[in-house]
């Protein structure tokens, strides 16, 4: 084997392992990041392009974190080799608000809460929230938000904490399977009309649309009895609801700061829109700022182990990033038991 062949093999191996031959500090950071996230690239040219994007993002984070007057910090995550336009194209715009089929039997009125609201709530600490998942590039945040809300209310009303199937929602909740925008309310409606939903273990998520598995539709392992919309742009009503259970909500996540959020209480910038779906699992205060705790579907390698702490009580009826605009939650009677087969599926 001649010297040129050896060099070619080394170069190819380097590109696939994402090892940079530069001795610069940013290249070393990039190398460590690649190993942590299992990143590989198909050519030396692509690797160098991603390194440049990574460096631009890294510098943006450093500039933000050096300000000293912000309540949150940015940091490296699984999206750090994507431009903001690439990130938006793959991970944003997963919500499409539409008028779902009305049904007075399943769309229930917002309750008249009379209990005092606790100063803080974290449903994770009560064992009512499943682990953070990853939607991949199948843009179905709505399915993850709805599934997570169903998982939580099933536990709160006396059932087991079990992961339900986002894939069933993707494949079966609309007339055709799609990795496209949707909304949580029709997902709740589907589960109610179907008589329940299967488990994630039995109907696993594959991050792409596939034909609805009609056999799995018959497995009504986790059930809900109805769903309720939170009054629009009413933060007090949203607070009352979250004090009782985790709540599905939409928000605007289209800022570069949101993409690179790492920790602290996020204060923007962001628009008020309904572009992405999350699950609000609690609220509290930190360093004088009130916040929501929102579970995302971008894996535990984003944000605060998969969560974002979003400022509340901003004075804007829509809430920061529009989080008060569209929220809803499933209703389950504690007497309506889940299928006992859940432990074996």
């Amino acid at each position: 084997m001649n010297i040129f062949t050896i060099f070619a093999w080394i170069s190819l191996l380097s590109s696939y392992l994402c090892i940079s031959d530069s001795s610069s500090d940013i290249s070393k950071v990039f190398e460590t990041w690649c190993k942590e996230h299992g990143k590989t690239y198909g050519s030396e040219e692509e690797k160098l392009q991603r390194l440049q994007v990574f460096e631009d993002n890294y510098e943006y984070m450093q500039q933000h974190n050096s300000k000293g007057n912000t309540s949150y910090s940015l940091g490296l995550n699984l999206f750090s080799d994507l431009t903001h336009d690439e990130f938006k194209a793959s991970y944003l715009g997963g919500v499409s608000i539409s008028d779902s089929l009305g049904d007075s039997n399943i769309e229930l009125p917002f309750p008249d809460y009379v209990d005092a609201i606790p100063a803080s709530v974290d449903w994770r600490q009560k064992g009512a929230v499943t682990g953070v998942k990853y939607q991949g590039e199948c843009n179905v945040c709505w399915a993850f938000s709805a599934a997570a809300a169903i998982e939580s209310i099933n536990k709160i009303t006396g059932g087991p904490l079990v992961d339900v199937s986002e894939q069933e929602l993707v494949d079966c909740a609309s007339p055709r399977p799609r990795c496209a925008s949707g909304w949580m309310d029709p997902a709740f409606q589907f589960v109610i009309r179907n008589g329940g939903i299967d488990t994630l273990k039995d109907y696993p998520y594959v991050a792409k649309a596939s034909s609805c598995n009609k056999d799995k539709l018959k497995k009504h392992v986790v059930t809900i009895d109805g769903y309720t919309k939170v009054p629009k742009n009413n933060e007090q009503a949203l607070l009352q609801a979250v004090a009782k259970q985790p709540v599905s909500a939409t928000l605007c996540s289209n800022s570069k700061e949101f993409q690179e959020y790492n920790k602290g209480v996020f204060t923007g910038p962001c628009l008020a829109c309904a572009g992405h779906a999350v699950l609000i699992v609690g609220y509290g205060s930190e360093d004088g700022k009130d916040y929501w705790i929102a579970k995302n579907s971008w894996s535990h390698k984003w944000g605060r182990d998969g969560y974002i702490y979003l400022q509340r009580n901003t004075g804007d009826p829509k809430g920061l990033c529009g989080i008060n605009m569209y929220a809803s939650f499933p209703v389950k009677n504690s007497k309506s038991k889940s299928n006992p087969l859940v432990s074996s599926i």
Side-chain angles (χ1 to χ4, degrees):
M1 185 179 293
N2 61 41
I3 186 65
F4 297 105
T5 303
I6 294 173
F7 178 81
W9 273 106
I10 292 174
S11 177
L12 180 62
L13 181 62
S14 175
S15 68
Y16 275 95
L17 293 178
C18 191
I19 297 173
S20 173
D21 57 359
S22 172
S23 59
S24 68
D25 289 341
I26 191 62
S27 293
K28 293 178 181 177
V29 174
F30 184 57
E31 177 183 341
T32 300
W33 177 85
C34 285
K35 292 178 180 178
E36 178 184 352
H37 294 278
K39 292 282 184 172
T40 58
Y41 303 111
S43 68
E44 185 71 15
E45 181 181 10
E46 183 185 3
K47 183 188 72 174
L48 292 175
Q49 289 174 344
R50 290 300 147 193
L51 173 58
Q52 183 59 60
V53 172
F54 181 89
E55 183 173 5
D56 292 343
N57 287 336
Y58 187 77
E59 289 179 355
Y60 192 90
M61 297 172 199
Q62 295 296 92
Q63 291 174 3
H64 171 90
N65 294 343
S66 65
K67 292 177 181 178
N69 61 346
T70 179
S71 61
Y72 68 95
S73 64
L74 307 181
L76 297 174
N77 58 40
L78 70 166
F79 306 128
S80 294
D81 65 342
L82 299 179
T83 67
H84 189 51
D85 286 341
E86 290 170 335
F87 170 75
K88 289 192 294 184
S90 295
Y91 293 95
L92 302 187
V95 171
S96 177
I97 303 296
S98 60
D99 291 329
S100 50
L101 297 174
D103 189 329
S104 60
N105 292 322
I106 61 177
E107 184 177 328
L108 305 174
F110 189 75
D112 184 15
Y113 293 116
V114 295
D115 297 343
I117 301 174
S120 64
V121 167
D122 187 342
W123 286 104
R124 296 173 298 178
Q125 296 177 358
K126 300 173 184 291
V129 182
T130 58
V132 173
K133 302 184 180 77
Y134 179 44
Q135 69 184 59
E137 294 187 18
C138 183
N139 208 350
V140 289
C141 54
W142 57 271
F144 282 83
S145 175
I150 292 169
E151 293 162 352
S152 291
I153 193 60
N154 192 62
K155 174 64 175 178
I156 291 169
T157 54
L161 182 65
V162 56
D163 294 287
V164 302
S165 177
E166 294 88 4
Q167 193 66 45
E168 184 175 339
L169 298 177
V170 173
D171 294 346
C172 310
S174 60
R176 59 182 178 83
R178 57 182 186 172
C179 275
S181 59
W183 194 19
M184 293 81 74
D185 292 11
F188 295 145
Q189 293 174 5
F190 162 78
V191 174
I192 297 162
R193 293 192 174 109
N194 188 56
I197 187 171
D198 199 3
T199 65
L200 176 63
K201 181 180 178 181
D202 193 51
Y203 197 156
Y205 184 67
V206 295
K208 63 181 180 180
S210 56
S211 298
C212 179
N213 189 323
K214 299 298 178 63
D215 290 334
K216 305 298 185 183
L217 281 178
K218 301 173 185 177
K219 297 187 177 182
H220 306 155
V221 181
V222 176
T223 65
I224 56 175
D225 301 315
Y227 77 98
T228 295
K229 293 180 180 179
V230 178
K232 187 177 179 180
N233 300 333
N234 187 329
E235 188 165 273
Q236 185 64 19
L238 183 57
L239 192 69
Q240 290 175 318
V242 176
K244 295 295 184 181
Q245 68 184 89
V247 172
S248 291
T250 63
L251 48 70
C252 223
S253 56
N254 61 355
S255 70
K256 190 172 179 64
E257 286 79 5
F258 202 104
Q259 173 185 346
E260 298 170 346
Y261 167 78
N262 180 247
K263 60 182 179 180
V265 179
F266 185 77
T267 57
C270 57
L271 301 174
C273 74
H276 184 64
V278 295
L279 182 74
I280 305 176
V281 303
Y283 59 85
S285 301
E286 181 177 287
D287 297 329
K289 288 189 181 297
D290 297 333
Y291 59 77
W292 297 110
I293 308 170
K295 179 185 180 183
N296 207 345
S297 52
W298 293 343
S299 91
H300 69 279
K301 293 183 178 181
W302 175 87
R304 294 175 67 158
D305 295 322
Y307 290 82
I308 186 168
Y309 285 44
L310 192 83
Q311 185 181 13
R312 62 183 174 91
N313 285 336
T314 63
D316 184 345
K318 295 181 179 179
L320 185 69
C321 304
I323 197 168
N324 299 342
M325 293 172 64
Y326 297 100
S328 57
F329 54 89
V331 175
K332 183 177 175 69
N333 189 322
S334 60
K335 296 179 182 179
S336 178
K337 299 299 184 182
S338 298
N339 193 316
L341 292 177
V342 65
S343 60
S344 61
I345 290 180

